[in-house]
Structures are given as C-alpha cells and as structure tokens.
Amino acid sequence: MSAVVDLPACVRAGYREGYIYATYADGNEVTFPILVNRRLRDQPEEKLDHIEIGHFGLCWPDLDEDLSHAGLRAGRFGQP
C-alpha cells in the first residue's frame, strides 16, 4: 500500500527565457533551466510553453514529457 502525499495545487506553469517555472498554491515556485532536461532542451518556445497542469504533475503533450509535482519540488527535473 502506498502513501498519498497531499501537495499544494500547482496554480501556474510556463516557460520564460530558458526556464520552466511552476507556482504552487502555498506560494512556493519551482524554477529550472530547460538545459537539464533532454526532452525540453532545444525545443521551440511554443512547445515549451504548452504545459498542461494535472493533479499529479506537469505535462508537455507535444514533447512526450511529464514531470511529477513531488519530483519537481524535490529537485528532480527529468533525465539529463
């Protein structure tokens, strides 16, 4: 049986000047450079900014990339 961690909701996410940001309802913001994620680096801005916010994480449907909120908040930004 797994424990479910109740994290604050992500209220905003986007791409800005080489960085992805996610803002949470508790006021915390996670920001990371796209260069640390092989599926995000070298992609056009319109695909980077097309982020779907889900209950469990962020999804870039055009890039086949998903990152969990728990992982983002722990500093895990995808595969290098």
Side-chain angles (χ1 to χ4, degrees):
M1 191 160 188
S2 65
V4 175
V5 178
D6 223 5
L7 295 173
C10 182
V11 294
R12 187 176 328 118
Y15 169 76
R16 181 175 56 231
E17 298 177 0
Y19 288 83
I20 299 295
Y21 69 90
T23 305
Y24 292 88
D26 63 358
N28 285 317
E29 183 171 274
V30 173
T31 305
F32 68 93
I34 60 169
L35 294 176
V36 301
N37 181 301
R38 67 179 171 86
R39 289 191 177 131
L40 300 179
R41 76 174 71 107
D42 301 322
Q43 296 296 328
E45 186 172 333
E46 60 273 2
K47 288 186 178 185
L48 292 167
D49 202 34
H50 180 200
I51 303 171
E52 295 177 359
I53 301 171
H55 181 73
F56 295 105
L58 302 181
C59 173
W60 288 263
D62 300 331
L63 303 174
D64 191 31
E65 179 65 314
D66 300 283
L67 298 174
S68 73
H69 295 302
L72 288 169
R73 290 175 68 106
R76 295 187 303 270
F77 308 123
Q79 298 178 6

